[in-house]
Every structure is written in C-alpha cells, then in structure tokens.
C-alpha cells in the first residue's frame, strides 16, 4: 500500500475543497485508511501539494479518421514539431513522434499524461469508421479512451424519421449503434445538415426541412435526445448545433437548447455557437445570453471549445460548415469528403490571430462563457482539440481562468476594437482550484457516468495527480509532480516514466435485437460492407491496443 | 577549417540540420562535441558520432563514408560547408546563402525550398531536386544549383526562381509544375518533361523523346539571352549550355496557362 501523505485534496465529488489528508493506493485503487495493522510499504510526502483525480477530457479529436486526414494534409505540422524517442530508466522506451496540431498517436498519449490527464473521449466516431477509430485510440498510450458514435445524418436514421417510424424503433437503432461501435455516447453534428449538404443545401436552419427527407434538425435532435434518454445513456445527446461559426447563430443555439424540451442535452464547443450580428462588422458576442440560458436550464450542459492564438487545424464532421470555412484555410489547402454516406468530414488548417477582429472576439467570447456560466458541473474545459487550439494549451487556458491580471494583460494585446466590444474586462471572476477540479475531473466523470473515476474516494481507480502549488497556474498545470494511472506512477515532474496502454470505456445498452433484421437487409442492399462486419466485438478492443474493455451498463430503462 | 569526421560503424541515419559554420563559430571542439543531434530519432551528443577538429569557423568540412547524413547544410545562410563523401536526403534545404560543396552523390530533396546561395554537386542527385518540401507549395525560390552528374525524377518541381544546371541526365517529369526560374539539362531527360509548366524555362541539351501533348511547337527562334545565360553558367558549371543562341521553342504547358517554354537545340 502506498501512502500519499499530507497533500491538499481537491475532490469535488465528495465536497473536499483543499483539506489536508492522506491518500492510500492499493491494487490500482484508492482505498480507505488502513487500521493500525495496515502495511504501508511506500510513502510519498506531498505536503503542501495540490492533489486531484486524473483529468478527463470529454471532447477531444484524437482518433476517428479525421486526424489521419489532417496528418496527411499537414506534413509541415509534423516536420515543425519533432519529438525524439527516449529510453526509460525502468526499461522500455517512448516512441519518437511529431506534430503540434495533429500529433502522432503516441505523442498524443504522452502529452496528455504529462499534463495530468488520464482519460480522453473522441467525440466524433462515424459508425462506418469505428474500427479505424478503435485502432487509432488503441494506439494512444497512457490514457483511457472512449468515443461517441455520430448519428443523425445517416440515411438509415433519416429514412426512419421521415417515414414516421415509432420512437422505439429509433431507440433500438441507437442502441444497436452504441453496441456495434463500442461507443460511450451519441453525438449529432449539424443535425441533418451534413446530409443536406449532399443534396446541395449550403445551410440548414433548425426548423428548415431537409431537401430530400423533409425532416428538420429539430426533429433529429428530439428523436435522438429521446432515444439517448430512453436507453439510459449517462451522457446526454452530444450536440454540435446547426450554423456553426455564423454570425447571429446564438438564436439557433438557444432554440436548440429549447428543442430538447427538458431532456438532457449537451452543447459542444458552444463558443462557436455564441455569435451575434451587432456592431459595424456585424459580428458580436452573445455569450451573456447563452450563459444565462445555460444557467437557467438545468438539463443543459456544454463544453466551451475555447480558441487560443496560433496555428492549428480544424477537423469536423460538419462538411457544410467546413466547406463554408475553406476560404479561410491557412495554409491554403483543405479536405471535405463524404464517408460511406454515413456523415462527412472536413479538415481545414487555420491560424487564429490575436490582431484579427473576429479571432480576437472569438477568444473573448469563449472566456466570457467560462466566466458567466455559474455551475462548473455543467461546463467543461475544452478547446475542441484541435479546432480551437491543440490540447497542449490547456494549462495556459487554466491560467486565463484563474488569474484575472494575466487575463487582462492578454486582453490588452488583442485587436483593440474586439477588446472594446467585449465585456471580458469587467468580469472579475477567478476560477478556484476546486472549480477547476470540477470542470476537468468530477464534472466530466459524472456527465459520462464514470462512477469510479474523477474522484479520490475509496473504491475509485487510483488515477491521481499531484501538482506543486505554484502562483503561475500555467506552469503548475503543465508539469505535475506525480501522475498515477490505476495506481502506477506514470509521470514524474511532467515527464513520462512508465508507459501504460489505457482501457476503453464502452456502453452495453439494452435494446431489441430484432432491429438487426431491417438493418441487415439495408446493409445488403445499400452499403459496401455487411452489417456483421460493421460490428466490433469485445475481443477486438484489446486487439486494437486497449489494455482492457470497461463495459458500462445503461442506467435507466424506458 | 572545422572538421567533423563520422566515426566508423555508426548505424542508422543522422540529422545534421543546424550544424552550420555559423552555429559552430566560437565553439571549441569540446563544446561542439556536446551539441545534440538526432540519430535514428533519438537525441545524442555530436561527439558520439563524429570526431571533431577545430579550425577556421568560416569553413566546415564534414567527412563521411556512407550516405547516412540528412539535411546537410539545411538553413545555411553564410560561410562554406564542404562534404567529402555521399550526402543523404534534404541537403541544402531552405538554404539562404553561402556555399555548399558536395564531393559525392546527394539524395532526394536536394535544395528543397532553397532561397539563396550556391550548391555544387560532383556526383549524382536523387529525386525532387529543388522541389517543394512535402506538403508545401513552392520549391526552390532562389540561388544556384550545379550538378556534374545526373539527377532523378521531378527535378525543379514547383520551382519558382533561381537556376539549376545539370550536366548529366534528368529522370522523368523534369521541370514539372515549375512556376518560374531556369532549369538546364545538358544530357537529356525522361518522359513528360515540363508537365504542368506554368512559366519559366527548360533548356534541354538534347530533344526529349516526347513532350506532353499540351505543348505547342513554336518553331526555331533566335534568343540572344541564351548567350548571356551561357556566359553566366560558364563560370558555375562549364559547357553545360548548348552553344549558340538559335533553338527550337516549345510553348506550354497549355493545360496550365502555357506561359513556359522548353528550348532544345535547333
Ligand atoms: Zn469537436
């Protein structure tokens, strides 16, 4: 048994806010303090250190096909950021890698662990691409993984919806998709819009009928949110709303929240959906209205998708949005493609500039959202890696949230007109360590239904991070002193010391398997593979590289 | 002269990017030995791979017996780098000035994205001479490359300025997608020379076996600038240009704007 002695614990799941205490690790788990007879064979004095559970990123594009396309599109991203291989003292080695915005799989895992992250969720796994996504995630070491299956633009679902199929049939299809693709949640991207793009629509509003199927994005959201709820999936329907990036889209975003009609709904990268049309440039912040709505509606959660300045690449299933953005590509090359009629994919490299009015205001809007949403349990820290910025900028983002002087200093550097337009300077809030622990640990774990992750209570898996309490929060969060994964020390002073594989979280929903009959016929008639070949068996998960499969039961039954 | 001699039996590949006269200037041999290099993807001390001998820092001599040193002279801006032995890939990449003298053969992507300076190669060169680095859109944009031997495929691909002189032969697709600049091949070239040529000039010492169908025969012409070019080239790589100023001119590639020209002896 290992004792971490005397640290200041930040464990929001148990309402522990910086109290000093000892933590005991045994058999990969956190255990209750042993009695006088307990054998403690290791002890690390962490007096004065900040101790949190391993961080969880619930929206980061680390697999699922788009990253490979980004890698192929941007060899310069790799050339410019090489990572040499390294031998480990305890045996084994770290693979060499490369990449700033679209790093190699190994490099992705090492970098996440070196910041104290122990789980990452890929939010955009196309069912047709699921096997690739699992292979790619399996290749990412150090952290546990999971993926959200994308539905809502696929022909089978849109046919069901437009034919007025019974909700139970839709539930079965959603359940089957979760099961067949080993997913952890359901995501919908530009509901119906990706499909409409293929019918030459370049826009699809929430209540606009799809040019072919006649259904509206609102109907898509409602049917999927209902299915996710009825199946008892812990994470709400994960929604990339319509009209991403378009000035004035805040109205759509608010209407999308309302469209859930009280059912749980998660709005992702909400920064990109909080824009107004005021001012001479017809681009303004609607962060206040969006944040007020989130504060008011307990069924709504969101992640921010903060942008940070510099070179990155945007990678999205939203072909409609990415086609619209391609003229901003920097460097000037881009990919927009269909994938198996299932959804789509668009990869557009992008450089956010602090002296550009729009980019500067996007930066301020994201921060405004962070500071205006009062409940950190329902707001998660993301940059929508790599869309807003690579995940390696999280420590910088945490400092922006925790340090008002630092934030206002940066505000002085951005496009002056954008700074003047934003109310950011007037927002005095500074995040506490407790709130950071909520939005990066306890919150995501609760939202995903991970009962034994994201907290430090007895019985939890021992994913534990120890930070030095430095005034410079960026330096502090960039380089934890210790990171434990399932009780093993994997990072020391911000450097990997042991390589582990990480497991895969997947849901095991209950649904009527009779759905396989129409599905099998559909696949035979229209698709390029057989239905049976789409399905990913439990035994494939470890073959894909994960250390193990962690199955999760669904909570509610309809 | 500072000398780096590759030790015997060093396996794998070594990335020499950044090892330049300028970066070694003012360093004693012992300090040079502690510089770190990438060897097969791992960082190692230069001294583990090379014997170092100090001297005048303006000239750096690198001695090696096999083509395992990549990015020799990459980023060179000043001074002289002499290589005795074969060079690996990427030599002279993004060079902006100075002289790179390669005593043996060179690998792929020689002078890729070069902007200035001079490169002389005594031997043969691999593919993609003066081309854009993979993923980028412009190749060589200045400077002079003189090759005494032959070169592989795609020489001058996406080149936009500067001069390349080749005494031997060029492989297929020489001058492909060339934007501007001058590529001279004395010894003939493979199929599809000038494919995608936008502007710029290909001077071929021997008529190609065939050109892409999208080139127009504009007949024999008298081009006095060839005399000027010849005299200029004579000082760099003697007798590589055809004598005289009368050539047959083909205009193309018409599928790509067609403002380039391929000149062959009339
Ligand atoms: Zn995303």
């Amino acid at each position: 048994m290992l004792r971490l002695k005397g640290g200041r614990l930040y464990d929001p799941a148990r309402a522990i806010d910086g109290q000093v205490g000892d933590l005991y690790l045994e058999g990969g788990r956190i255990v209750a303090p042993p009695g006088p007879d307990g054998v403690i064979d290791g002890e690390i004095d962490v007096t004065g250190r900040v101790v949190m559970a391993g961080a969880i990123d619930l929206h980061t594009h680390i697999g699922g096909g788009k990253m490979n396309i980004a890698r192929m599109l941007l060899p310069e991203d790799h050339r410019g950021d090489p990572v040499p291989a390294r031998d480990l003292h305890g045996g084994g080695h770290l693979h060499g890698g490369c990449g700033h915005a679209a790093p190699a799989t190994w490099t992705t895992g090492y970098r996440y662990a070196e910041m104290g992250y122990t789980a990452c969720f890929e939010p955009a796994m196309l069912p047709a691409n699921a096997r690739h996504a699992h292979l790619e995630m399996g290749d990412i070491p150090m952290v546990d993984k999971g993926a959200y299956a994308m539905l809502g633009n696929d022909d089978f679902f849109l046919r069901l919806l437009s034919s007025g199929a019974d909700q139970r049939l839709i539930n079965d299809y959603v359940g089957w998709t979760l099961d067949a693709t080993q997913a952890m949640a359901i995501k919908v991207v530009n509901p119906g819009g990706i499909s409409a793009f293929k019918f030459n629509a370049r826009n699809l509003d929430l209540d606009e009928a799809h040019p072919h199927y006649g259904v509206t994005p609102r109907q898509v959201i409602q049917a999927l949110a209902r299915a996710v709820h009825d199946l008892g999936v812990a994470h709400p329907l994960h929604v990339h709303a319509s009209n991403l990036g378009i000035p004035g889209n805040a109205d759509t975003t608010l209407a999308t929240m309302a469209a859930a009609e009280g059912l749980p709904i998660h709005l992702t990268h909400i920064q990109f959906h909080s824009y107004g049309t005021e001012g001479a440039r017809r681009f303004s912040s609607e962060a206040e209205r969006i944040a007020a709505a989130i504060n008011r509606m307990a069924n709504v959660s969101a992640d921010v998708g903060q942008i940070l300045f510099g070179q990155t690449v945007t990678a999205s299933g939203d072909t409609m949005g990415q086609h619209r953005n391609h003229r901003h590509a920097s460097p000037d090359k881009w990919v927009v493609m269909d994938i198996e009629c299932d959804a789509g994919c668009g990869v557009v490299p992008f450089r956010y500039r602090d002296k550009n009015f729009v980019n500067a205001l996007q930066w301020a809007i994201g921060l405004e959202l962070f500071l205006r949403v009062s409940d950190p349990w329902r707001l998660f820290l993301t940059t929508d890696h790599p869309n807003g910025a690579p995940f390696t900028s999280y420590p910088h983002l945490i400092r922006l949230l925790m340090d008002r002087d630092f934030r206002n200093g940066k505000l002085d550097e951005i496009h002056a007109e954008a700074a003047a337009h934003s109310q950011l300077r007037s927002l005095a809030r500074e995040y506490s360590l407790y709130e950071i622990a909520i939005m990066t640990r306890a919150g995501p774990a609760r939202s995903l239904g991970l009962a034994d992750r994201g907290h430090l209570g007895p019985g939890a898996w021992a994913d534990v991070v120890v930070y030095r309490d430095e005034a410079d929060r960026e330096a502090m969060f960039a380089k934890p002193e210790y990171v434990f994964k399932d009780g093993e020390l994997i990072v020391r002073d911000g450097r990997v010391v042991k390589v582990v594989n990480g497991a895969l979280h997947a849901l095991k929903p209950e649904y009527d398997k009779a759905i396989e009959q129409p599905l099998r016929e559909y696949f035979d008639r229209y698709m390029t593979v057989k239905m049976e070949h789409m399905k990913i068996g439990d035994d494939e998960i470890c073959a894909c590289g994960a250390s193990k499969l962690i199955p999760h039961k669904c909570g509610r039954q309809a | 002269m500072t000398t780096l001699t590759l030790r015997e039996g060093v396996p794998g590949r070594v990335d020499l990017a950044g090892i330049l006269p300028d970066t070694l200037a003012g360093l004693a041999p012992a300090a040079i030995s502690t510089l770190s290099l990438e060897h097969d993807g791992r960082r190692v001390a230069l001294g583990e791979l090379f014997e170092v001998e100090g001297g005048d820092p303006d000239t750096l001599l690198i001695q090696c017996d096999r083509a395992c040193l990549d990015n020799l002279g990459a980023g060179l801006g000043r001074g002289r780098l002499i290589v005795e032995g074969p060079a690996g890939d990427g030599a002279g990449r993004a060079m902006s000035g100075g002289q790179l003298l390669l005593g043996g053969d060179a690998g792929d992507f020689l002078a890729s994205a070069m902007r200035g300076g001079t490169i002389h190669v005594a031997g043969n060169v691999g593919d993609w001479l003066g081309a854009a680095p993979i993923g980028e859109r412009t190749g060589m944009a200045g400077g002079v490359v003189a090759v005494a031997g032959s070169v592989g495929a795609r020489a001058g691909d996406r080149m936009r300025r500067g001069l390349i002189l080749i005494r031997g032969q060029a492989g297929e697709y020489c001058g492909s997608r060339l934007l501007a600049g001058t590529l001279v091949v004395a010894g003939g070239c493979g199929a599809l020379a000038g494919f995608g040529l936008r502007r710029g000039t290909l001077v071929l010492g021997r008529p190609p076996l065939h050109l892409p169908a999208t080139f127009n025969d504009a007949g024999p012409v008298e081009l006095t600038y060839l005399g000027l070019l010849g005299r200029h080239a004579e000082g760099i790589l003697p007798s590589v240009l055809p004598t005289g100023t009368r050539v047959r001119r083909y205009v193309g590639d018409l599928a790509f704007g067609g403002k380039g020209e391929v000149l062959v002896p009339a």
Side-chain angles (χ1 to χ4, degrees), chain B residues 13 66-72 83 85-92 100-111 119-129 145-152:
Chain B
R13 303 196 74 81
R66 61 185 193 89
C68 62
L69 306 182
D70 295 324
N71 298 322
L72 281 159
V83 180
D89 297 331
L100 176 62
L101 307 175
L102 303 178
D105 295 341
D108 296 342
F109 286 98
L110 174 75
I119 300 178
H120 282 271
V121 188
N124 300 320
V125 174
D127 298 337
W128 303 98
L129 161 63
V145 180
V147 181
S150 293
V151 305

Side-chain angles (χ1 to χ4, degrees), chain A residues 75-76 79 84-85 87 332-333, chain B residues 41-43 133-137:
Chain A
E76 64 270 39
R79 257 199 311 275
D87 290 316
D332 184 14
K333 48 185 175 179
Chain B
R42 281 161 203 268
R43 305 300 300 185
I134 288 170
E136 285 172 33
R137 300 173 46 135

Side-chain angles (χ1 to χ4, degrees), chain A residues 301-378:
Chain A
S301 62
D303 62 87
V304 172
Q306 177 67 33
I307 72 126
L308 294 160
F309 305 115
Q311 179 69 51
T312 193
V313 57
T314 66
S316 170
D318 188 351
T319 39
M320 188 183 257
Q322 291 295 69
H323 180 261
R324 195 162 51 228
N325 289 338
H326 80 257
R327 59 182 188 275
H328 303 299
S330 172
D332 184 14
K333 48 185 175 179
W334 50 279
V335 177
V336 164
M337 61 196 283
D338 169 63
I339 297 175
E340 289 283 305
C341 297
D342 209 2
C345 171
V347 178
V348 181
F350 196 83
R351 176 181 281 275
Y352 293 100
R353 295 164 206 271
D354 58 357
K355 301 292 191 258
N356 170 294
F357 173 81
V358 171
N359 298 165
L361 200 52
Q362 287 179 299
W363 176 85
I365 289 168
L367 292 175
E368 263 194 70
L369 287 162
F370 272 115
L371 300 173
R372 287 182 185 279
V373 173
S374 52
D375 183 3
W377 286 98
R378 291 191 286 121

Side-chain angles (χ1 to χ4, degrees), chain A residues 59-61 123-124 187 240 268-269 315 384-385 387:
Chain A
H59 190 112
T60 173
H61 297 274
K187 184 194 196 193
H240 160 142
T268 189
H269 40 69
D384 190 17
H385 163 81
N387 290 300

Side-chain angles (χ1 to χ4, degrees), chain A residues 70-93:
Chain A
R71 289 178 187 121
M72 286 190 281
L73 186 68
L74 298 169
E76 64 270 39
D77 181 63
H78 288 177
R79 257 199 311 275
D81 193 358
V83 182
R86 183 158 63 83
D87 290 316
L88 294 171
H89 290 303
H93 65 277

